[in-house]
Amino acid sequence: MQRIKKGDTVEVIAGSDKGARGEVLHVYPKEDRVVIERVNIVKKHQKPVSAGRQQVQPGIIEYEAPINLSNVMLVCSQCDKPTRVGYRVNEDGMKVRVCRACASDID
Ligand SMILES: [Zn+2]
């Protein structure tokens, strides 16, 4: 089970974007990496090239680069704190994520 899922709000706990919060846009489970909205922005210079029928606009493209999962913590929607994730099994036998700080369900 994934600790962090797409659509979660996370806080960056290490690196140059430490303290930043954003929504998880993409998860790469195999690489343990996540892409977070407005975090780890990299700039890429785009040359004017034509890709197929579409003309690619030249200039500087900004996009979010993936960062390591260990550099982020899930922000609990109930207590608004970055927290470690616990698990419990609910009445239906499903595993749900719980906040370790306030013990409320995250899913
Ligand atoms: Zn909480």
XYZ file of all heavy atoms in Angstrom:
831
model
N 0.844 -1.208 0.000
C 0.000 0.000 0.000
C 0.873 1.250 0.000
O 1.855 1.330 0.726
C -0.890 0.002 1.240
C -1.906 1.117 1.234
S -3.134 0.854 2.538
C -4.146 2.301 2.316
N 0.480 2.186 -0.800
C 1.270 3.415 -0.906
C 1.021 4.345 0.278
O -0.099 4.558 0.696
C 0.897 4.168 -2.181
C 1.456 3.556 -3.430
C 0.855 4.219 -4.655
O 0.260 3.584 -5.500
N 1.005 5.537 -4.746
N 2.087 4.890 0.766
C 2.019 5.838 1.874
C 1.475 7.176 1.383
O 0.735 7.863 2.072
C 3.445 6.007 2.426
C 3.572 6.726 3.730
C 4.981 6.530 4.299
N 6.008 7.123 3.443
C 6.425 8.381 3.557
N 5.912 9.159 4.457
N 7.367 8.836 2.760
N 1.889 7.532 0.194
C 1.484 8.802 -0.410
C 0.762 8.501 -1.718
O 1.211 7.674 -2.501
C 2.724 9.684 -0.725
C 3.570 9.924 0.528
C 2.330 10.983 -1.408
C 3.036 10.947 1.487
N -0.342 9.173 -1.924
C -1.119 8.954 -3.137
C -1.307 10.262 -3.897
O -1.236 11.350 -3.314
C -2.510 8.410 -2.787
C -2.512 7.035 -2.175
C -3.931 6.677 -1.795
C -3.995 5.292 -1.171
N -5.345 4.998 -0.699
N -1.621 10.100 -5.159
C -1.943 11.254 -5.994
C -3.121 12.014 -5.372
O -4.099 11.416 -4.947
C -2.316 10.753 -7.396
C -2.509 11.837 -8.403
C -2.814 11.220 -9.757
C -3.163 12.303 -10.756
N -3.488 11.745 -12.074
N -3.000 13.330 -5.309
C -4.079 14.142 -4.746
C -3.879 14.483 -3.281
O -4.552 15.351 -2.741
N -2.927 13.792 -2.621
C -2.610 14.119 -1.232
C -1.927 15.483 -1.147
O -1.278 15.917 -2.102
C -1.618 13.096 -0.647
C -2.268 11.757 -0.328
O -3.504 11.695 -0.235
O -1.510 10.792 -0.159
N -2.067 16.118 0.009
C -1.262 17.304 0.273
C -0.074 16.872 1.118
O -0.236 16.164 2.114
C -2.081 18.365 1.021
O -3.178 18.762 0.191
C -1.230 19.597 1.324
N 1.101 17.272 0.695
C 2.307 16.883 1.420
C 3.149 18.111 1.746
O 3.007 19.165 1.130
C 3.165 15.871 0.615
C 2.446 14.545 0.444
C 3.572 16.438 -0.724
N 4.014 17.949 2.736
C 4.966 19.002 3.068
C 6.368 18.473 2.828
O 6.689 17.334 3.171
C 4.799 19.442 4.525
C 5.715 20.615 4.887
C 5.323 21.290 6.194
O 4.120 21.505 6.439
O 6.244 21.578 6.981
N 7.192 19.327 2.243
C 8.574 18.950 1.959
C 9.390 19.135 3.237
O 9.338 20.192 3.862
C 9.150 19.811 0.813
C 10.587 19.397 0.497
C 8.279 19.688 -0.428
N 10.124 18.107 3.643
C 10.849 18.164 4.911
C 12.361 18.224 4.721
O 13.118 18.311 5.670
C 10.487 16.966 5.825
C 10.692 15.640 5.095
C 9.048 17.093 6.307
C 10.705 14.438 6.026
N 12.821 18.173 3.489
C 14.259 18.253 3.237
C 14.501 18.851 1.863
O 13.620 18.820 1.004
C 14.881 16.859 3.325
N 15.682 19.407 1.698
C 16.035 19.947 0.392
C 15.741 21.432 0.273
O 15.351 22.085 1.241
N 15.874 21.947 -0.936
C 15.770 23.388 -1.150
C 14.337 23.905 -1.014
O 14.119 25.089 -0.801
C 16.339 23.760 -2.519
O 15.684 23.017 -3.521
N 13.363 23.029 -1.141
C 11.966 23.434 -1.003
C 11.391 23.066 0.360
O 10.173 22.970 0.529
C 11.115 22.805 -2.104
C 11.338 23.465 -3.450
O 11.123 24.669 -3.541
O 11.751 22.781 -4.397
N 12.273 22.881 1.330
C 11.840 22.506 2.669
C 10.768 23.458 3.188
O 10.907 24.672 3.093
C 13.054 22.531 3.608
C 12.787 21.948 4.971
C 14.065 21.942 5.790
C 13.754 21.480 7.198
N 14.940 21.474 8.052
N 9.697 22.894 3.728
C 8.614 23.706 4.269
C 7.491 23.966 3.286
O 6.417 24.410 3.672
N 7.740 23.709 2.015
C 6.710 23.960 1.003
C 5.641 22.884 1.058
O 5.912 21.726 1.359
C 7.346 23.991 -0.380
N 4.419 23.301 0.766
C 3.328 22.347 0.694
C 2.720 22.360 -0.688
O 2.673 23.399 -1.344
C 2.230 22.689 1.701
C 2.577 22.341 3.115
C 1.384 22.565 4.022
N 1.761 22.309 5.416
C 0.896 22.243 6.414
N -0.383 22.424 6.176
N 1.306 22.002 7.643
N 2.238 21.222 -1.084
C 1.575 21.169 -2.375
C 0.858 19.857 -2.563
O 1.003 18.922 -1.766
N 0.104 19.818 -3.628
C -0.635 18.602 -3.941
C 0.239 17.646 -4.737
O 1.022 18.068 -5.588
C -1.878 18.970 -4.758
C -2.814 17.805 -5.012
C -4.001 18.201 -5.886
O -4.534 19.307 -5.692
O -4.371 17.413 -6.757
N 0.104 16.366 -4.443
C 0.839 15.351 -5.195
C 0.189 15.201 -6.572
O -0.989 14.899 -6.687
C 0.829 13.999 -4.455
C 1.505 12.916 -5.290
C 1.518 14.133 -3.101
N 0.983 15.469 -7.596
C 0.459 15.402 -8.954
C 0.695 14.039 -9.588
O -0.040 13.606 -10.466
C 1.126 16.477 -9.828
C 0.958 17.931 -9.384
C 1.734 18.847 -10.320
C -0.502 18.328 -9.359
N 1.759 13.381 -9.126
C 2.139 12.123 -9.747
C 2.974 11.311 -8.776
O 3.776 11.871 -8.044
C 2.941 12.408 -11.021
C 2.790 11.349 -12.044
N 1.822 11.392 -13.021
C 3.459 10.191 -12.232
C 1.923 10.311 -13.774
N 2.905 9.566 -13.321
N 2.790 10.005 -8.782
C 3.596 9.120 -7.937
C 4.298 8.100 -8.825
O 3.680 7.527 -9.726
C 2.714 8.380 -6.898
C 3.576 7.492 -6.001
C 1.917 9.363 -6.054
N 5.580 7.934 -8.597
C 6.335 6.886 -9.275
C 6.738 5.849 -8.237
O 7.810 5.955 -7.636
C 7.592 7.463 -9.947
C 7.306 8.527 -10.978
C 7.345 9.878 -10.635
C 7.010 8.181 -12.293
C 7.081 10.863 -11.582
C 6.741 9.154 -13.235
C 6.783 10.492 -12.879
O 6.526 11.454 -13.811
N 5.871 4.853 -7.998
C 6.116 3.913 -6.888
C 7.422 3.135 -7.023
O 8.104 2.887 -6.035
C 4.922 2.951 -6.967
C 3.930 3.595 -7.868
C 4.679 4.521 -8.757
N 7.772 2.767 -8.230
C 8.989 1.972 -8.421
C 10.243 2.743 -8.065
O 11.240 2.188 -7.603
C 9.089 1.490 -9.873
C 8.204 0.295 -10.156
C 8.333 -0.129 -11.599
C 7.219 -1.110 -11.942
N 7.002 -1.201 -13.386
N 10.204 4.032 -8.313
C 11.390 4.863 -8.041
C 11.297 5.575 -6.701
O 12.220 6.304 -6.340
C 11.564 5.899 -9.152
C 11.977 5.302 -10.480
C 11.094 5.805 -11.625
O 11.139 7.005 -11.906
O 10.370 4.998 -12.222
N 10.184 5.381 -5.980
C 9.969 6.091 -4.721
C 10.053 7.602 -4.894
O 10.650 8.299 -4.073
C 10.983 5.649 -3.654
C 10.533 4.365 -2.973
O 9.340 4.029 -3.079
O 11.372 3.718 -2.336
N 9.482 8.085 -5.978
C 9.523 9.519 -6.235
C 8.126 10.063 -6.478
O 7.244 9.346 -6.941
C 10.431 9.817 -7.436
C 11.885 9.534 -7.141
C 12.719 9.598 -8.388
N 13.268 10.925 -8.607
C 14.337 11.381 -7.983
N 14.960 10.658 -7.104
N 14.790 12.576 -8.238
N 7.966 11.339 -6.141
C 6.678 11.989 -6.340
C 6.882 13.353 -6.983
O 7.916 13.998 -6.796
C 5.910 12.192 -5.007
C 5.329 10.892 -4.508
C 6.782 12.834 -3.940
N 5.878 13.779 -7.734
C 5.871 15.126 -8.292
C 4.849 15.929 -7.498
O 3.706 15.498 -7.338
C 5.492 15.113 -9.788
C 5.386 16.529 -10.328
C 6.512 14.312 -10.581
N 5.295 17.065 -6.989
C 4.423 17.901 -6.164
C 4.257 19.263 -6.804
O 5.233 19.869 -7.261
C 5.006 18.045 -4.741
C 5.153 16.656 -4.111
C 4.112 18.910 -3.862
C 6.215 16.596 -3.080
N 3.006 19.707 -6.789
C 2.640 20.994 -7.367
C 3.530 22.108 -6.824
O 3.631 22.279 -5.611
C 1.178 21.236 -6.968
C 0.569 22.464 -7.531
C -0.846 22.649 -6.974
O -1.124 22.146 -5.886
O -1.631 23.293 -7.649
N 4.162 22.847 -7.695
C 4.995 24.017 -7.384
C 6.212 23.705 -6.500
O 6.733 24.585 -5.818
C 4.173 25.147 -6.724
C 2.983 25.653 -7.525
C 3.311 26.161 -8.901
N 4.274 27.259 -8.886
C 4.984 27.655 -9.954
N 4.835 27.048 -11.105
N 5.822 28.653 -9.864
N 6.640 22.460 -6.479
C 7.825 22.079 -5.703
C 8.872 21.505 -6.647
O 8.546 20.763 -7.565
C 7.463 21.047 -4.603
C 8.709 20.405 -4.000
C 6.633 21.710 -3.511
N 10.120 21.873 -6.379
C 11.244 21.398 -7.194
C 11.094 21.798 -8.665
O 11.233 20.983 -9.572
C 11.401 19.879 -7.054
C 12.789 19.418 -7.459
O 13.756 20.172 -7.353
N 12.902 18.195 -7.927
N 10.799 23.076 -8.850
C 10.632 23.614 -10.201
C 11.990 23.664 -10.908
O 12.968 24.161 -10.366
C 10.064 25.050 -10.143
C 8.703 25.073 -9.447
C 9.978 25.668 -11.541
C 7.561 24.517 -10.239
N 12.034 23.106 -12.066
C 13.227 23.215 -12.883
C 12.878 23.929 -14.182
O 11.750 23.857 -14.661
C 13.879 21.848 -13.175
C 14.424 21.228 -11.901
C 12.901 20.904 -13.838
N 13.861 24.637 -14.699
C 13.653 25.370 -15.940
C 14.409 24.681 -17.062
O 15.528 24.242 -16.891
C 14.136 26.819 -15.797
C 13.243 27.624 -14.899
C 13.792 29.010 -14.679
C 12.889 29.766 -13.719
N 13.446 31.053 -13.316
N 13.755 24.613 -18.155
C 14.363 23.959 -19.291
C 14.249 24.894 -20.490
O 13.189 25.461 -20.748
C 13.594 22.664 -19.558
C 14.218 21.761 -20.565
C 13.339 20.520 -20.692
C 13.544 19.870 -22.041
N 12.538 18.849 -22.295
N 15.341 25.060 -21.164
C 15.307 25.899 -22.355
C 14.837 25.069 -23.536
O 15.422 24.051 -23.868
C 16.692 26.495 -22.628
C 17.109 27.469 -21.590
N 16.845 28.810 -21.674
C 17.722 27.295 -20.403
C 17.294 29.421 -20.598
N 17.839 28.508 -19.801
N 13.777 25.519 -24.114
C 13.202 24.801 -25.249
C 13.632 25.453 -26.550
O 13.389 26.626 -26.784
C 11.673 24.811 -25.127
C 10.953 24.153 -26.261
C 11.200 22.649 -26.307
O 10.943 21.927 -25.363
N 11.743 22.188 -27.423
N 14.263 24.659 -27.374
C 14.633 25.175 -28.692
C 13.426 25.127 -29.616
O 12.555 24.275 -29.460
C 15.742 24.308 -29.291
C 17.088 24.495 -28.628
C 18.098 23.575 -29.278
C 19.305 23.391 -28.369
N 20.012 22.148 -28.649
N 13.366 26.049 -30.546
C 12.242 25.991 -31.494
C 12.373 24.787 -32.421
O 13.184 24.785 -33.338
C 12.340 27.312 -32.258
C 13.751 27.761 -32.077
C 14.268 27.150 -30.816
N 11.634 23.762 -32.126
C 11.645 22.571 -32.979
C 10.204 22.212 -33.326
O 9.284 22.542 -32.605
C 12.289 21.357 -32.287
C 13.782 21.526 -32.162
C 11.654 21.093 -30.931
N 10.058 21.543 -34.424
C 8.712 21.074 -34.738
C 8.624 19.580 -34.438
O 9.398 18.788 -34.949
C 8.352 21.376 -36.185
O 9.465 21.216 -37.022
N 7.704 19.254 -33.567
C 7.486 17.862 -33.200
C 6.243 17.385 -33.925
O 5.131 17.704 -33.558
C 7.329 17.732 -31.687
N 6.435 16.650 -34.950
C 5.309 16.209 -35.768
C 4.638 17.400 -36.411
O 5.311 18.269 -36.964
N 3.342 17.464 -36.285
C 2.592 18.555 -36.876
C 2.622 19.812 -36.005
O 2.429 20.910 -36.471
C 1.143 18.120 -37.089
C 0.765 18.072 -38.564
C -0.668 17.622 -38.723
N -0.748 16.213 -39.082
C -1.885 15.534 -39.150
N -3.021 16.111 -38.847
N -1.901 14.276 -39.501
N 2.841 19.564 -34.701
C 2.781 20.697 -33.783
C 4.115 21.435 -33.703
O 5.168 20.825 -33.633
C 2.384 20.219 -32.388
C 0.888 20.100 -32.220
C 0.530 19.638 -30.830
O 1.207 18.780 -30.261
N -0.510 20.196 -30.278
N 3.990 22.740 -33.701
C 5.166 23.577 -33.525
C 5.370 23.814 -32.034
O 4.459 24.277 -31.344
C 4.965 24.916 -34.257
C 6.168 25.843 -34.221
C 7.309 25.367 -35.128
O 7.070 24.709 -36.126
N 8.532 25.697 -34.767
N 6.556 23.433 -31.525
C 6.824 23.650 -30.110
C 7.327 25.075 -29.913
O 8.216 25.530 -30.621
C 7.873 22.631 -29.593
C 8.238 22.920 -28.146
C 7.348 21.218 -29.740
N 6.726 25.760 -28.983
C 7.113 27.143 -28.726
C 8.494 27.213 -28.068
O 8.739 26.527 -27.085
C 6.093 27.804 -27.790
C 4.755 28.101 -28.458
C 4.866 29.073 -29.624
O 5.504 30.112 -29.521
N 4.261 28.716 -30.749
N 9.375 28.034 -28.586
C 10.670 28.201 -27.951
C 10.545 29.019 -26.672
O 9.534 29.696 -26.466
C 11.482 28.950 -28.995
C 10.478 29.666 -29.819
C 9.230 28.834 -29.801
N 11.550 28.957 -25.827
C 11.529 29.728 -24.594
C 11.875 28.849 -23.415
O 12.430 27.764 -23.579
N 11.573 29.352 -22.234
C 11.907 28.605 -21.034
C 10.656 27.908 -20.506
O 9.632 28.541 -20.292
C 12.505 29.538 -19.952
C 13.813 30.134 -20.471
C 12.725 28.779 -18.646
C 14.345 31.259 -19.616
N 10.776 26.620 -20.345
C 9.673 25.837 -19.802
C 9.968 25.542 -18.340
O 11.082 25.152 -17.997
C 9.517 24.504 -20.564
C 9.205 24.774 -22.031
C 8.427 23.656 -19.935
C 9.237 23.521 -22.878
N 8.973 25.770 -17.503
C 9.132 25.419 -16.092
C 8.260 24.214 -15.797
O 7.115 24.157 -16.209
C 8.695 26.583 -15.201
C 9.622 27.770 -15.278
C 9.280 28.797 -14.207
O 8.231 28.662 -13.555
O 10.074 29.722 -14.034
N 8.843 23.269 -15.095
C 8.025 22.124 -14.702
C 8.522 21.553 -13.384
O 9.647 21.819 -12.965
C 7.997 21.052 -15.792
C 9.337 20.408 -16.073
C 9.667 19.177 -15.483
C 10.255 21.016 -16.907
C 10.896 18.587 -15.740
C 11.484 20.429 -17.163
C 11.798 19.207 -16.576
O 13.010 18.635 -16.817
N 7.652 20.791 -12.754
C 7.990 20.182 -11.477
C 8.744 18.875 -11.729
O 8.244 18.000 -12.428
C 6.729 19.877 -10.659
C 6.003 21.113 -10.165
C 4.806 21.500 -11.021
O 4.738 21.067 -12.185
O 3.944 22.236 -10.507
N 9.924 18.769 -11.128
C 10.691 17.529 -11.232
C 10.354 16.646 -10.029
O 10.032 17.150 -8.961
C 12.178 17.836 -11.271
N 10.423 15.336 -10.217
C 10.110 14.438 -9.097
C 11.122 14.571 -7.962
O 12.294 14.837 -8.204
C 10.207 13.033 -9.723
C 10.260 13.229 -11.186
C 10.781 14.612 -11.436
N 10.656 14.420 -6.735
C 11.561 14.362 -5.597
C 11.340 13.050 -4.853
O 10.327 12.382 -5.037
C 11.392 15.560 -4.624
C 10.031 15.547 -3.934
C 11.610 16.878 -5.336
C 9.936 16.569 -2.804
N 12.307 12.712 -4.016
C 12.234 11.439 -3.319
C 11.136 11.431 -2.261
O 10.944 12.407 -1.546
C 13.589 11.138 -2.690
C 13.749 9.658 -2.423
O 13.187 9.128 -1.464
N 14.483 8.977 -3.280
N 10.452 10.310 -2.183
C 9.367 10.148 -1.209
C 9.809 10.409 0.223
O 9.041 10.881 1.041
C 8.827 8.712 -1.288
C 7.496 8.476 -1.963
C 7.151 6.999 -1.893
C 6.391 9.283 -1.311
N 11.055 10.088 0.522
C 11.536 10.266 1.886
C 11.688 11.741 2.260
O 11.872 12.076 3.414
C 12.863 9.540 2.081
O 13.833 10.076 1.211
N 11.583 12.617 1.271
C 11.704 14.054 1.534
C 10.368 14.738 1.771
O 10.312 15.952 1.921
C 12.408 14.760 0.365
C 13.873 14.393 0.289
O 14.429 13.824 1.214
N 14.492 14.706 -0.821
N 9.304 13.951 1.775
C 7.994 14.554 2.000
C 7.243 13.834 3.117
O 7.480 12.664 3.390
C 7.112 14.545 0.720
C 7.793 15.256 -0.421
C 6.706 13.147 0.321
N 6.358 14.577 3.752
C 5.460 13.979 4.732
C 4.035 14.340 4.356
O 3.762 15.450 3.893
C 5.752 14.514 6.136
C 6.930 13.858 6.795
S 7.128 14.460 8.484
C 6.441 13.078 9.391
N 3.145 13.417 4.594
C 1.745 13.655 4.335
C 1.205 14.691 5.317
O 1.501 14.647 6.510
C 0.976 12.343 4.504
C -0.509 12.361 4.165
C -0.721 12.619 2.679
C -1.143 11.045 4.559
N 0.427 15.649 4.803
C -0.227 16.614 5.677
C -1.637 16.110 5.955
O -2.408 15.846 5.039
C -0.275 18.015 5.034
C -1.093 18.980 5.899
C 1.131 18.560 4.825
N -1.946 15.973 7.227
C -3.253 15.471 7.638
C -4.315 16.529 7.364
O -4.154 17.694 7.734
C -3.215 15.126 9.120
S -4.814 14.693 9.791
N -5.406 16.119 6.731
C -6.462 17.081 6.409
C -7.263 17.471 7.652
O -7.958 18.475 7.658
C -7.397 16.497 5.344
O -7.891 15.251 5.781
N -7.152 16.672 8.706
C -7.894 16.977 9.937
C -7.136 17.942 10.844
O -7.678 18.940 11.287
C -8.182 15.678 10.702
C -9.037 14.688 9.933
C -10.416 15.228 9.609
O -11.074 15.840 10.450
N -10.856 15.019 8.371
N -5.868 17.624 11.131
C -5.136 18.459 12.085
C -4.147 19.392 11.404
O -3.490 20.188 12.057
C -4.444 17.592 13.140
S -3.166 16.501 12.489
N -4.030 19.287 10.070
C -3.193 20.181 9.284
C -1.716 20.111 9.655
O -0.980 21.085 9.542
C -3.715 21.621 9.404
C -3.202 22.509 8.272
O -3.218 22.053 7.114
O -2.772 23.637 8.557
N -1.274 18.948 10.128
C 0.142 18.784 10.475
C 0.775 17.751 9.550
O 0.118 16.782 9.169
C 0.265 18.272 11.912
C -0.020 19.310 12.963
C 0.093 18.666 14.337
C -0.423 19.589 15.419
N -0.831 18.844 16.619
N 2.047 17.962 9.233
C 2.755 16.896 8.523
C 2.897 15.715 9.483
O 3.307 15.902 10.625
C 4.126 17.498 8.199
C 4.119 18.883 8.708
C 2.906 19.102 9.549
N 2.544 14.556 9.030
C 2.517 13.430 9.958
C 3.055 12.154 9.338
O 3.075 12.001 8.118
C 1.068 13.163 10.427
O 1.070 12.058 11.325
C 0.167 12.828 9.247
N 3.469 11.249 10.202
C 3.758 9.908 9.739
C 2.421 9.204 9.528
O 1.429 9.548 10.136
C 4.601 9.157 10.773
C 6.043 9.672 10.801
C 6.910 8.813 11.691
N 6.391 8.754 13.045
C 6.175 7.622 13.706
N 6.420 6.456 13.151
N 5.700 7.642 14.931
N 2.437 8.232 8.649
C 1.196 7.560 8.298
C 1.120 6.216 9.008
O 2.054 5.426 8.969
C 1.112 7.338 6.769
C -0.167 6.620 6.391
C 1.212 8.663 6.040
N 0.005 5.992 9.679
C -0.252 4.689 10.265
C -1.354 4.004 9.479
O -1.928 4.590 8.561
N -1.607 2.773 9.826
C -2.668 2.042 9.137
C -3.585 1.396 10.144
O -3.182 1.037 11.235
C -2.065 0.949 8.243
C -1.186 1.476 7.160
C 0.192 1.441 7.291
C -1.737 2.020 6.007
C 1.014 1.939 6.305
C -0.931 2.522 5.012
C 0.446 2.472 5.162
O 1.248 2.971 4.189
N -4.831 1.258 9.750
C -5.714 0.401 10.515
C -6.627 -0.314 9.532
O -6.749 0.085 8.366
C -6.522 1.199 11.534
C -7.591 2.081 10.929
C -8.431 2.750 12.003
N -9.520 3.508 11.396
C -10.704 2.980 11.075
N -10.962 1.716 11.314
N -11.641 3.731 10.511
N -7.235 -1.390 10.000
C -8.166 -2.133 9.160
C -9.572 -1.753 9.583
O -9.913 -1.825 10.770
C -7.934 -3.655 9.299
C -8.954 -4.424 8.471
C -6.515 -4.011 8.879
N -10.368 -1.318 8.640
C -11.721 -0.869 8.982
C -12.726 -2.025 9.004
O -12.357 -3.191 8.816
C -12.154 0.273 8.062
C -12.458 -0.193 6.647
O -12.473 -1.386 6.362
N -12.694 0.743 5.748
N -13.989 -1.704 9.204
C -15.042 -2.712 9.338
C -15.145 -3.600 8.097
O -15.539 -4.762 8.184
C -16.407 -2.034 9.567
C -16.445 -1.054 10.747
C -15.805 0.282 10.403
O -16.092 0.827 9.324
O -14.985 0.770 11.201
N -14.830 -3.049 6.939
C -14.924 -3.818 5.700
C -13.658 -4.620 5.402
O -13.523 -5.209 4.341
C -15.201 -2.877 4.518
C -16.475 -2.073 4.723
O -17.442 -2.641 5.265
O -16.481 -0.887 4.356
N -12.723 -4.611 6.340
C -11.476 -5.328 6.123
C -10.501 -4.586 5.224
O -9.510 -5.154 4.773
N -10.791 -3.311 4.974
C -9.906 -2.512 4.133
C -8.879 -1.798 4.998
O -9.185 -1.331 6.099
C -10.710 -1.455 3.357
C -11.809 -2.030 2.465
S -11.150 -2.721 0.944
C -10.715 -1.205 0.085
N -7.692 -1.721 4.454
C -6.646 -0.985 5.141
C -6.834 0.507 4.871
O -6.969 0.912 3.711
C -5.292 -1.411 4.578
C -4.322 -1.912 5.630
C -3.046 -2.358 4.946
C -1.965 -2.586 5.976
N -0.670 -2.880 5.341
N -6.879 1.301 5.899
C -6.969 2.738 5.696
C -5.791 3.421 6.376
O -5.241 2.922 7.359
C -8.302 3.334 6.228
C -9.478 2.837 5.420
C -8.491 3.024 7.698
N -5.442 4.558 5.838
C -4.330 5.313 6.415
C -4.846 6.193 7.548
O -5.911 6.786 7.439
C -3.670 6.183 5.332
C -3.052 5.355 4.220
C -2.431 6.239 3.168
N -3.429 7.104 2.556
C -3.141 8.133 1.765
N -1.885 8.406 1.497
N -4.081 8.859 1.240
N -4.102 6.240 8.610
C -4.494 7.102 9.723
C -3.343 8.046 10.091
O -2.173 7.742 9.907
C -4.900 6.294 10.992
C -6.178 5.521 10.756
C -3.796 5.361 11.432
N -3.750 9.202 10.586
C -2.785 10.206 11.036
C -2.226 9.781 12.388
O -2.976 9.451 13.300
C -3.497 11.546 11.150
S -2.532 12.820 11.938
N -0.920 9.805 12.532
C -0.309 9.415 13.804
C -0.430 10.519 14.845
O -0.257 10.285 16.024
C 1.177 9.101 13.590
C 1.397 7.884 12.726
C 1.693 6.676 13.564
N 1.987 5.536 12.711
C 2.827 4.580 13.024
N 3.473 4.621 14.165
N 3.031 3.579 12.218
N -0.703 11.733 14.370
C -0.777 12.858 15.301
C -2.147 12.946 15.955
O -2.258 13.108 17.160
C -0.442 14.158 14.579
N -3.225 12.839 15.156
C -4.560 13.020 15.716
C -5.421 11.770 15.605
O -6.568 11.771 16.029
C -5.265 14.209 15.053
S -5.742 13.909 13.341
N -4.891 10.715 15.010
C -5.550 9.409 14.909
C -6.789 9.388 14.027
O -7.564 8.442 14.072
C -5.879 8.853 16.298
N -6.995 10.419 13.215
C -8.155 10.369 12.317
C -7.770 9.700 10.994
O -6.603 9.666 10.604
C -8.695 11.778 12.072
O -7.709 12.591 11.522
N -8.784 9.170 10.338
C -8.553 8.516 9.049
C -8.160 9.547 7.998
O -8.703 10.645 7.959
C -9.826 7.800 8.585
C -10.133 6.583 9.453
O -9.315 6.275 10.338
O -11.175 5.970 9.230
N -7.266 9.140 7.135
C -6.838 10.048 6.072
C -7.591 9.743 4.781
O -7.954 10.643 4.040
C -5.302 9.975 5.886
C -4.635 10.589 7.111
C -4.860 10.669 4.608
C -3.176 10.279 7.259
N -7.856 8.488 4.518
C -8.572 8.138 3.283
C -10.058 8.448 3.399
O -10.633 8.288 4.447
C -8.386 6.652 2.983
C -6.941 6.392 2.630
O -6.513 6.866 1.577
O -6.255 5.723 3.415
Zn -4.127 14.511 11.977
